[in-house]
Amino acid sequence: MTLANKTAFILLCVLIVFTTLLYGTVHQPIIAVFYILTALMLILWAVGAYRSGTINITPNLIPFSILAAAVYGLIQVIPFGSINAVAGVADVPRTISADPFATQVSAFHFLALFIFLAVAMALIDSAGRLRRLVAVITIFGFAYAFFAILQGVLSPDRIYGIYEPSSGASPFGSFVNRHNFAAFIEMAIALPLGLLFAGAVGRDKRLLYVTAIALMGVALLLSGSRGGLVAFFAQVVLLVILTVRSRQRSNKLVVIALAGVLIAAIVGGSFFVGGETSLSRVVDTAASKDITTDRTHIWSVTLGVIANNLPFGAGLGAFGVAYTPYDSHSGLERVEQAHNDYLQVVSDAGIPGILIGLAFLLLIWNTGRKAIRTKNFVRRGIAFGALAGIFAILVHSIFDFVLHTTAISVMFLTLVALLAASSNEYDDDIDIEGHSKHRREGKRRSPGKVAAFER
């Protein structure tokens, strides 16, 4: 393993922390830095492959569904003919996209995410790296949740005590939007939950895992995100279903009891830290009169956008422009997202978007089904957690647009990479006691994942 390859893996870990701490990476200068670091990670991986004489390639097709979205975005900005003069400007190119520039930006972003996921899958090439990445996410999630709780008590309106978002924003942690914080914690908490439910945690470490899970759960509940709360309960239910299927009756009761105790501890802890306001925020959001967050109205208008832009969609990232002509309100408050990623996929990309999205979900399902069947306790626990975190975001996306935030999409794709890697077998596999688990002899990496080339 070369220095360049090791540096690329470290950069993968850094990107998860970097994109989260810098306000979720929603500002253009920070997004540009994310692109540069992703390109650097790709270069380092390529240099490491060249110097070692071996290139890691994954047969998993999930990254290519993201690439397909980028390609379709570029197709949407291809000019075909021109439209009538607009405001005295003639020969305006006619494109599928209602906002060609926004669609080009979105296509480039999808390309960066494709590179990130493909390289991440290639870099997680051993059980040691798999465990280290999970440890980084768990430790960071614990520390980040602790910071968010302190900030919520001491300085709820300012991020880091310095940056005050615009009026109407609801910051929590380093995110301007509390729903994004909840989405990140949903994924961070899923990994230790999966390991704990799968019985992959040694007795000497169980208290540490329970503490980390409880603190992250309290932070999630204190954020006041309804979608986050629903998604968290959904992932706990999924974990219970996954773990009880292969256990004896007595152990099934233990798992169900564990889930109940954790939820009770999280709810009790949130009341201890935040008092009655812990859950009142959730109720307050239901009574919001803000036009830009009135989901019922937005969804009804989005259906009109879909109906008038089939079969090809209004253009990736063009929702704000496409939405306005169909808005029955005054239009003074611009709506940029549909607050439902499934509706927005159809609105932005039409039937091709539906097909790409279904392919993406089907590939994740097939990967997850293979991963959760592994006999290794640790990798099965990681697979449980990664799948539960992915499921939580898919549930949360019904109510919010969390995947449009770079930090959330980076973490989500990291879980996808962990899910794919957990289905492979490695020479350095360990069980909960640290004993070697050689399922196949003489194979440093899983079949079909490594190809050698001559320099």
Side-chain angles (χ1 to χ4, degrees), residues 2-5 7-8 11 39-49 123:
T2 64
L3 177 60
N5 188 278
T7 305
L11 188 55
L40 179 60
M41 187 171 69
L42 172 63
I43 293 170
L44 289 169
W45 169 77
V47 170
L123 288 172

Side-chain angles (χ1 to χ4, degrees), residues 156-194:
D157 298 324
R158 290 179 179 269
I159 300 176
Y160 302 130
I162 301 173
Y163 174 56
E164 184 174 3
S166 59
S167 176
S170 53
F172 204 86
S174 60
F175 291 96
V176 174
N177 188 321
R178 65 174 179 267
H179 302 297
N180 289 330
F181 172 84
F184 180 85
I185 292 298
E186 289 161 23
M187 294 183 284
I189 198 176
L191 294 172
L193 272 174

Side-chain angles (χ1 to χ4, degrees), residues 112-129:
L113 293 176
F114 159 73
I115 294 172
F116 175 85
L117 178 57
V119 176
M121 284 184 168
L123 288 172
I124 307 174
D125 58 1
S126 68
R129 283 190 170 182

Side-chain angles (χ1 to χ4, degrees), residues 302 305-306 309 312-315 319 322 338 342-350:
T302 302
V305 176
I306 292 172
N309 287 279
F312 302 113
F319 183 82
Y342 303 98
L343 287 178
Q344 190 156 348
V345 165
V346 184
S347 171
D348 287 4

Side-chain angles (χ1 to χ4, degrees), residues 137-147 188 208 211-213 215-216:
I137 293 172
T138 302
I139 294 171
F140 174 66
F142 170 78
Y144 183 57
F146 182 70
F147 153 76
L208 294 175
T211 302
I213 291 168
L215 190 65
M216 285 189 272

